């Protein structure tokens, strides 16, 4: 009887040990699988972060070199969506900021610091060109000037206004017509024509919108004014 009892005890202990061993092995496998999944996911997340394209100021396509200001701008879309002007990751003018309007929209930026000096818009359809001319004459040397049209930026322009804008480095201002889309970045005291200018003519055969051409966009790096 004692021998039989001892044999039963040995069997129970063996079963217990075997059960414990199986459970521990299964648990270890699951742990390994979970850890493997975690590490694999971490590696994938890290790879995704490393392949995500970097974001540059104002959302431009590449970083600007030192001593340059990043900018991006767009004209208005028909008479529905206003223009947008961004410099050094700061939105200076937009419909959201509620500081744009029909005509020519203009932002003045300090050529040394990149700081905003002023924003204005001038109605070139129902307004008067005189305030635009007066404002253009007050711009100081070394000031960066960014302009974008919305709806119609040309009907009230006269020869004097066009000449003053041309002196800021614009080439297209001489041909800017009714409901053309135009964006421009120049400066007071510039010695050459600005490379930063886009112009699309209002043409019923090619217009994207009924009565207006497509939006024009432009980005780039403005050299900082040196002493």
């Amino acid at each position: 009887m004692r021998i039989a009892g001892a044999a039963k005890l040995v069997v129970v202990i063996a079963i217990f040990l075997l059960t414990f061993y199986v459970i521990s092995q299964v648990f270890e496998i699951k742990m390994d699988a979970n850890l493997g999944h975690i590490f694999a996911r971490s590696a994938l997340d890290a790879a995704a972060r490393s392949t995500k394209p970097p974001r540059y100021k104002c959302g431009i396509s590449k970083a600007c070199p030192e001593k340059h200001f990043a900018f991006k701008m767009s004209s208005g879309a028909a008479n529905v969506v206003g223009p947008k002007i961004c410099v050094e990751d700061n939105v200076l003018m937009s419909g959201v900021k509620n500081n744009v309007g029909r005509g020519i929209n203009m932002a003045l930026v300090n050529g040394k610091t990149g700081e905003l000096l002023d924003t204005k818009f001038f109605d070139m359809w129902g307004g008067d060109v005189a305030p635009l001319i007066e404002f253009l004459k007050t711009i100081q040397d070394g000031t960066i000037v960014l302009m974008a049209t919305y709806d119609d930026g040309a009907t009230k322009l006269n020869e004097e206004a066009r000449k003053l804008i041309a002196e800021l480095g614009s080439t297209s201002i001489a041909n800017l017509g009714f409901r053309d889309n135009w964006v421009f970045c120049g400066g007071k005291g510039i010695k050459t024509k600005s490379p930063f200018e886009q112009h699309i003519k209002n043409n019923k055969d090619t217009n994207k919108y009924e009565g207006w051409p497509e939006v024009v966009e432009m980005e780039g790096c403005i050299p900082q004014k040196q002493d």
Side-chain angles (χ1 to χ4, degrees):
M1 292 291 293
R2 291 181 180 177
I3 295 174
K8 289 181 180 179
L9 180 61
V10 169
V11 171
V12 170
I13 293 173
I15 292 172
F16 173 78
L17 291 174
L18 179 61
T19 302
F20 177 79
Y21 175 76
V22 171
I23 292 173
S24 65
Q25 290 298 308
V26 171
F27 182 75
E28 184 175 354
I29 290 170
K30 288 184 177 180
M31 284 291 292
D32 289 343
N34 289 335
L35 288 173
H37 177 71
I38 291 170
F39 287 134
R41 182 160 187 175
S42 297
L44 288 172
D45 290 343
R49 285 193 298 269
S50 65
T51 57
K52 185 178 180 179
R55 184 194 178 280
Y56 302 114
K57 292 178 180 179
C58 290
I60 65 176
S61 56
K62 62 181 180 179
C64 288
E66 291 186 10
K67 297 182 179 179
H68 284 71
F69 301 126
F71 81 95
K72 187 172 184 178
M73 57 194 305
S74 60
S75 68
N79 61 348
V80 179
V81 180
K84 183 177 181 179
I85 299 175
C86 175
V87 175
E88 283 294 285
D89 231 16
N90 296 313
V91 176
L92 309 183
M93 301 187 76
S94 72
V96 174
K97 294 181 72 71
N98 197 30
N99 63 348
V100 297
R102 180 174 64 183
I104 293 178
N105 293 261
M106 191 182 317
L108 305 184
V109 173
N110 187 305
K112 292 183 179 180
T113 66
E115 295 179 352
L116 176 66
L117 299 175
D118 202 357
T119 62
K120 298 281 186 184
F121 63 86
F122 301 91
D123 187 350
M124 292 292 100
W125 169 254
D128 189 345
V129 72
L132 171 62
I133 292 173
E134 182 180 349
F135 185 73
L136 290 169
K137 289 179 177 179
T138 66
I139 300 174
Q140 300 297 308
D141 280 356
T143 301
I144 298 168
V145 183
L146 303 102
M147 300 185 184
T149 56
Y150 179 28
D151 190 0
D152 173 37
T155 295
K156 292 294 180 68
L157 283 178
N158 60 15
E159 193 64 29
E160 184 179 8
R162 292 178 189 270
K163 183 176 181 294
L164 289 169
I165 296 173
E167 290 174 355
L168 300 173
S170 172
T171 302
S172 298
I173 190 63
N175 302 313
L176 189 67
F178 172 66
R179 286 186 176 177
D180 289 359
N181 274 341
W182 173 67
V183 289
F184 164 71
C185 176
K188 185 64 177 286
I190 191 171
K191 303 300 181 184
T192 60
K193 292 301 179 182
S194 171
F196 302 123
E197 189 168 30
Q198 296 289 333
H199 177 208
I200 296 182
K201 296 292 292 180
N202 170 23
N203 185 325
K204 64 179 182 180
D205 296 326
T206 59
N207 283 347
K208 182 174 182 179
Y209 310 105
E210 185 177 352
W212 290 269
E214 66 180 303
V215 173
V216 286
E217 296 181 322
M218 181 173 65
E219 64 177 52
C221 302
I222 310 165
Q224 182 182 10
K225 188 179 187 303
Q226 304 299 313
D227 293 328

